Amino acid sequence: MTERTLVIDGIRVPRFFYGTAWKEDQTQHLVELALERGFRGIDTANQRRHYDEAAVGLAIAAAIAKGLVVRDDIFLQTKFTFRRGQDHRLPYDPGAPVPIQVEQSFTSSLGHLGVERVDSYLLHGPTGSAGLTPDDWAAWRAMEAIHASGRARMLGVSNFNLEQLQCLWQEARVRPRFVQNRCYAVRGWDRPVREFCQANGVVYQGFSLLTANRQVLAAGDLAGIAARHGRTIPQIVFRFALEVGIIPLTGTTNGDHMQADLEVFDFRLEPAEVARIEGLGGR
């Protein structure tokens, strides 16, 4: 392992991802720009409501054609999204059984992305807010079959609470290697889920680290920490994430900010600073 990379099950995983949600017609340009700036972890989903997965594939193809990267340089992560998270542009037959929906969505993802396999395939949230339903299990078993086929190197989940994660962990044949959640400072940066992940060898991915925490970040003493390090507040937040074992996602649309985000590997926070940021939300 290096500062910029984790090794999980023999697979190199970048410690900072570029998230492609809400980019619409700028998706291809921004993913190409992120790859040019140095991002090698790309997160997307087969959910046209919030993502343009096909445009991500075009960006990757363009970057490869330019000689900027080869396929194996990129850690590519996408997701299966249940009907309630979609709009009318569905990647599967809504009348089909859930396992068929998963297979149809995954096959569509491979086509969109122009690849034969993905590095990480996530269940993009359970069907409800408590427990796991038969549909959740049907989706996970279908994902396990995809993993067994070699078309997805690792599996994971997104938008899971601790109870749901514990339930999945106990009964899954292929246990999740990633949990990707929105990370609120006022909820202790999702500390209970992070603690479960740390105790069980699961890697936590945090999104909305900035956008979900604007008031807390403005009201806290991050400005002082940033000034001491000669860094920006976003850089301090992303460095904090790395310090506590989170793979952060950024969705910035600014090339200079992309560059600055990756510069968080160039410095460290003091333990007292990490503790201070952990406690920003008051929990």
Side-chain angles (χ1 to χ4, degrees), residues 33-249:
L33 184 59
L35 291 168
E36 289 171 4
R37 289 294 191 268
F39 280 93
R40 293 295 180 264
I42 302 296
D43 175 82
T44 187
N46 202 350
Q47 180 205 33
R48 192 59 191 86
R49 179 181 179 184
H50 293 148
Y51 297 80
D52 189 343
E53 189 182 51
V56 173
L58 292 174
I60 291 170
I64 290 172
K66 288 189 290 189
L68 177 64
V69 293
V70 298
R71 168 65 185 95
D72 287 347
D73 291 335
I74 302 171
F75 188 91
L76 190 54
Q77 176 171 275
T78 191
K79 310 179 189 79
F80 169 77
T81 308
F82 281 113
R83 178 67 184 89
R84 70 182 182 90
Q86 303 273 6
D87 61 16
H88 63 283
R89 294 167 291 183
L90 292 170
Y92 48 73
D93 175 4
V98 168
I100 301 300
Q101 292 181 15
V102 172
E103 181 62 36
Q104 289 176 344
S105 181
F106 186 79
T107 300
S108 172
S109 288
L110 295 183
H112 287 160
L113 297 168
V115 298
E116 295 181 353
R117 70 179 182 184
V118 299
D119 300 295
S120 174
Y121 196 44
L122 305 188
L123 180 57
H124 199 185
T127 53
S129 59
L132 297 179
T133 67
D135 280 351
D136 295 323
W137 280 113
W140 188 257
R141 296 307 184 200
M143 291 170 62
E144 289 178 326
I146 289 169
H147 177 268
S149 76
R151 292 174 294 158
R153 300 172 84 189
M154 290 184 279
L155 301 181
V157 296
S158 182
N159 303 303
F160 264 53
N161 62 36
L162 179 60
E163 175 211 7
Q164 291 165 330
L165 181 58
Q166 289 170 328
C167 181
L168 182 64
W169 187 260
Q170 290 169 2
E171 301 295 332
R173 291 191 288 267
V174 179
R175 285 173 164 172
R177 304 303 279 140
F178 299 105
V179 174
Q180 183 189 107
N181 280 354
R182 181 173 281 108
C183 208
Y184 293 100
V186 294
R187 299 178 186 172
W189 306 96
D190 207 12
R191 187 176 296 115
V193 174
R194 287 194 291 121
E195 289 176 347
F196 178 91
C197 289
Q198 289 169 352
N200 291 283
V202 182
V203 177
Y204 185 97
Q205 302 175 7
F207 68 94
S208 297
L209 288 160
L210 304 180
T211 55
N213 298 302
R214 288 193 177 103
Q215 290 184 322
V216 171
L217 301 184
D221 63 357
L222 285 181
I225 296 174
R228 284 196 294 277
H229 289 274
R231 302 285 175 166
T232 65
I233 288 177
Q235 286 177 315
I236 296 301
V237 173
F238 290 137
R239 182 65 235 181
F240 159 77
L242 294 172
E243 298 277 2
V244 297
I246 296 172
I247 290 180
L249 279 76

